[in-house]
Structure formats: C-alpha cells, structure tokens
C-alpha cells in the first residue's frame, strides 16, 4: 500500500489522489488502508515520514564522512552535506513531484500534527548534530543565532525546491527576458546558503 501511494504521489499532487486510486494500484481494499493507516491523510503522513527518514539517513552519513576525514572541513563542506540530500531528491525525475509537495508543506501556515511529528523525529534530530558542528566552526555565534540561520536556510530551500515555478517569475521582476540556459538554480542556492550560514555575527551589546 505504501509503495503504491508513494508511486502515485510521485506522479500526481496529493490533493488529486483518491483513496480508491491507491487501493486500485496496490490491490488492497479501502478497509485495509483504513486499518493500517486510518485515512488517506495518515497514509500521506507515512509517505512523508519515509521521505524525511531517507533524507535524514543521507545527512547523517554525510556528516559521518566529514567527521572521519583526516583534513579539516569548513562551513561550505558542512552546508553541502546538510542540504545536498534534499536537492538530490528534488532533482530526481522520479521523486520531483513528491519532493516538491513535501518541501511545500514545510512552508504551510498550518502543518498537521502528523507532518510536524515526522519532521521532528527524523530531520530535527540530525539537524541538531549539524548545529553542534556549526557551533564548533563558529563559536562566536549563539545557539539562537545558529537556530535562526538553519531555520532560514530550511525556509529558503523549501521555497526554491518546493515551488520551482516561482523562479520563472523572477526574470520579469529583474528585467531579464528569460533565465540563462546555464543558470543552475540548485548550485546558486547552495552558494547562497553557505554564505548565509557563514556570515559575520551581528550579535553584540545593545546600542
């Protein structure tokens, strides 16, 4: 059931998917879906949880490899290991639709408890490990500043990767006719995030 749901969500937006579509693809009946997942929404939450877990595993492995290196790593290495799994997922033709939906949910004004719980149990745990390494590289930043920068980074990549059509609106705003063919959105995003995460501290005594 879960595999069938994941395949359908990779092809269509979740709002257009009926429980009957999932049962037909999986060969199960609606009673079985309700027994294991409770509802279509709960089933989507489980798909979301699996996607979060996959990104979390890649992030954790990327951090493990950095920590095992003989040479020192810098903020660029750390940010790329943290963000690249989400970008790779969004680049894949097989998972682009699903990734777009999941990243779009990060920016939703009202996130369901199931989505929030899935995010907290997987990604937030690994993100805390990255926060520790950011603190080591930038001891001048407070825990609050690091949390704010990481939250801003999540919002930025969720907006860019979760709503790619917005990029097409920007050339008109900037006066350009169309994006250059060689413009790599994901690469530009990574460079921007590295610069933002490693920006000078603005903290100090109040004026």
């Amino acid at each position: 059931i879960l595999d069938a749901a994941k395949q359908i969500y990779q092809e269509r937006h979740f709002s257009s998917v009926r429980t009957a579509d999932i049962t037909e693809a999986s060969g199960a009946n609606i009673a079985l879906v309700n027994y294991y997942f409770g509802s279509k929404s709960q089933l989507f939450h489980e798909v979301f949880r699996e996607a979060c877990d996959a990104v979390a595993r890649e992030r954790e492995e990327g951090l493990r490899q950095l920590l095992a290196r003989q040479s020192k790593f810098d903020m660029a290495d750390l940010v790329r290991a943290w963000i690249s799994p989400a970008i790779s997922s969004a680049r894949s033709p097989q998972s682009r639709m699903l990734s777009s939906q999941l990243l779009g949910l990060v920016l939703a004004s009202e996130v369901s408890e199931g989505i929030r719980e899935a995010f907290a149990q997987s990604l937030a745990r690994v993100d805390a490990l990255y926060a520790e390494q950011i603190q080591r590289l930038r001891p001048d930043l407070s825990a609050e500043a690091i949390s704010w920068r990481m939250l801003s980074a999540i919002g930025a990549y969720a907006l860019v990767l979760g709503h790619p059509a917005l990029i097409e609106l920007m050339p008109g705003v900037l006066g350009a006719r169309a994006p250059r063919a060689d413009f790599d959105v994901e690469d530009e995003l990574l460079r921007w995030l590295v610069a933002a995460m490693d920006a000078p501290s603005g903290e100090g005594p109040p004026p």
Side-chain angles (χ1 to χ4, degrees), residues 2 6 44-58 85-86 89 95 98-99 102-103 118 122-123:
L2 196 57
K6 190 184 304 181
F44 184 76
H45 293 168
E46 193 59 35
V47 172
F48 183 91
R49 184 188 304 278
E50 279 205 357
C52 286
D53 287 346
V55 171
R57 285 192 297 271
E58 287 190 49
S89 179
S95 60
L98 179 58
S99 297
L102 299 180
L103 288 167
S122 55
L123 292 176

Side-chain angles (χ1 to χ4, degrees), residues 54-202:
V55 171
R57 285 192 297 271
E58 287 190 49
R59 285 181 172 175
E60 197 160 17
E61 176 59 20
L63 183 58
R64 187 196 66 77
Q65 291 181 12
L66 282 181
L67 294 175
R69 277 171 43 170
Q70 297 298 319
S71 58
K72 293 182 179 179
F73 58 85
D74 58 16
M75 186 67 76
D77 297 321
L78 193 60
V79 172
R80 287 180 184 276
W82 179 47
I83 299 297
S84 290
I87 290 180
S88 297
S89 179
R91 275 179 170 165
S92 169
Q94 291 77 23
S95 60
R96 185 175 295 126
M97 171 65 81
L98 179 58
S99 297
S100 177
Q101 294 183 67
L102 299 180
L103 288 167
L105 285 172
V106 174
L107 298 180
S109 58
E110 294 183 359
V111 179
S112 73
E113 191 60 35
I115 297 296
R116 186 180 293 109
E117 181 184 351
F119 186 86
Q121 288 184 352
S122 55
L123 292 176
R125 179 187 65 81
V126 178
D127 288 352
L129 300 178
Y130 276 88
E132 292 177 3
Q133 296 305 315
I134 293 172
Q135 182 98 71
R136 187 182 65 79
L137 292 175
R138 292 293 305 274
D140 58 310
L141 295 177
S142 67
E144 292 80 6
I146 291 173
S147 295
W148 186 90
R149 291 184 184 201
M150 293 183 74
L151 183 61
S152 298
I154 291 170
Y157 79 69
L159 180 63
V160 171
L161 301 178
H163 302 272
L166 293 177
I167 297 295
E168 298 175 6
L169 300 177
M170 291 306 295
V173 175
L174 300 176
R177 293 184 179 179
R180 295 197 324 265
D182 62 344
F183 183 75
D184 189 321
V185 172
E186 289 87 356
D187 193 54
E188 186 66 24
L189 172 65
L190 269 173
R191 284 197 295 269
W192 184 84
L193 290 175
V194 169
M197 293 297 296
D198 208 22
S201 171

